[in-house]
Amino acid sequence: MLRSVWNDFVGLIYPRLCLACQEPLVSGENHLCTGCRAELPYTDFHLLPPEQNPIGRRFWGKLPIRHALSYLRFVRHGRVQHLLHELKYQGQRDVGTALGQLYGAELHATGLAADFDLIVPVPLHPKKLAKRGYNQAAAFATGLSDGLKVPAGLNILRRNTNTKTQTKKNRAQRWENVATVFEVENPGQVIGRRILVVDDVLTTGATLEACGAALLAAGAAEVSIAAIACADR
Ligand SMILES: [Zn+2]
């Protein structure tokens, strides 16, 4: 009771805002307002058969993927872009955790937890990690772990070298760039495990593909991938 009065009082001075639309949240809402919860562009790819899943297709002939999942569709200038901007550039680590919890609970409800032994985030380069203070993919992984009730291994993958900016390279150069970057820190933790590799945004899928390939090479039984949002290529 006291705590709720205190929260209401704090809320008067510092209203909590919806992370997607910036409108004040009301009592009972956390991170996202009810309107945004209802209207975000969910992909529902986890409900599709694999051959109809558009992001699963991006990995055809490149990497065997069990499940290809994305919570949201990336829409430029929309609420999803705002959420990702808050997560990556405004220090709002909670956005990743909250979206992970929501999505994890949804995947758990459809029985998907049984298909994963471990959740592994795409690692951030140490320099970027030092600058941002957290890995946004790890925040998502932590939330997913909570919602799916599947453990997360936050230090399984390591990023070796500082990747140069991707934008000026062609596809082959980009692939070469990422393929050499990821290394499994402790193969003992991945051998025989079914791993869900997660990132904030999926565009070409090259980063997740490189991580998945490194995990399979280290002895993982199976790889699935999940992103907060997927963009058109
Ligand atoms: Zn909202």
Side-chain angles (χ1 to χ4, degrees):
M1 177 63 194
L2 258 182
R3 185 180 177 144
S4 114
V5 169
W6 172 250
N7 286 345
D8 286 348
F9 174 69
V10 172
L12 284 175
I13 308 168
Y14 302 108
R16 297 174 313 139
L17 302 179
C18 169
L19 296 167
C21 72
Q22 303 293 292
E23 292 295 320
L25 294 172
V26 300
S27 174
E29 289 177 341
N30 284 306
H31 305 295
L32 294 171
C33 71
T34 308
C36 286
R37 286 284 294 272
E39 288 166 21
L40 282 173
Y42 301 105
T43 70
D44 289 333
F45 288 160
H46 58 290
L47 305 175
L48 291 175
E51 63 276 11
Q52 285 175 27
N53 181 329
I55 55 169
R57 287 179 185 178
R58 293 184 198 182
F59 296 91
W60 284 3
K62 298 175 187 164
L63 189 77
I65 294 275
R66 173 79 182 272
H67 295 286
L69 307 167
S70 177
Y71 193 27
L72 303 166
R73 268 175 220 282
F74 183 84
V75 183
R76 210 169 278 283
H77 307 305
R79 292 184 236 216
V80 175
Q81 185 174 23
H82 187 81
L83 280 170
L84 291 167
H85 185 84
E86 292 286 309
L87 171 63
K88 282 178 87 163
Y89 305 111
Q90 300 296 316
Q92 296 278 6
R93 180 189 200 148
D94 280 2
V95 173
T97 320
L99 293 174
Q101 283 166 342
L102 292 168
Y103 193 32
E106 209 176 307
L107 298 175
H108 189 273
T110 51
L112 277 180
D115 290 349
F116 313 124
D117 300 315
L118 187 66
I119 302 172
V120 171
V122 169
L124 205 59
H125 188 276
K127 275 186 193 162
K128 264 196 185 166
L129 186 62
K131 196 171 167 218
R132 190 170 295 153
Y134 58 93
N135 173 1
Q136 72 278 3
F140 182 51
T142 305
L144 272 177
S145 170
D146 209 18
L148 264 168
K149 316 260 183 285
V150 170
L154 301 183
N155 299 309
I156 300 278
L157 282 172
R158 186 178 60 199
R159 197 179 274 258
N160 279 330
T161 52
N162 195 0
T163 34
K164 301 249 161 48
T165 177
Q166 302 272 323
T167 45
K168 285 183 185 144
K169 294 178 181 242
N170 66 32
R171 185 167 165 76
Q173 287 170 322
R174 271 201 293 268
W175 166 246
E176 200 179 311
N177 203 27
V178 291
T180 53
V181 167
F182 300 104
E183 201 177 299
V184 177
E185 181 87 359
N186 185 351
Q189 292 179 18
V190 311
I191 292 171
R193 314 292 292 279
R194 297 161 306 158
I195 299 180
L196 178 63
V197 196
V198 306
D199 205 356
D200 52 346
V201 182
L202 184 151
T203 309
T204 64
T207 306
L208 282 161
E209 187 185 332
C211 288
L215 289 163
L216 288 174
E222 190 176 273
V223 164
S224 295
I225 57 112
I228 297 175
C230 60
D232 293 331
R233 279 176 290 181

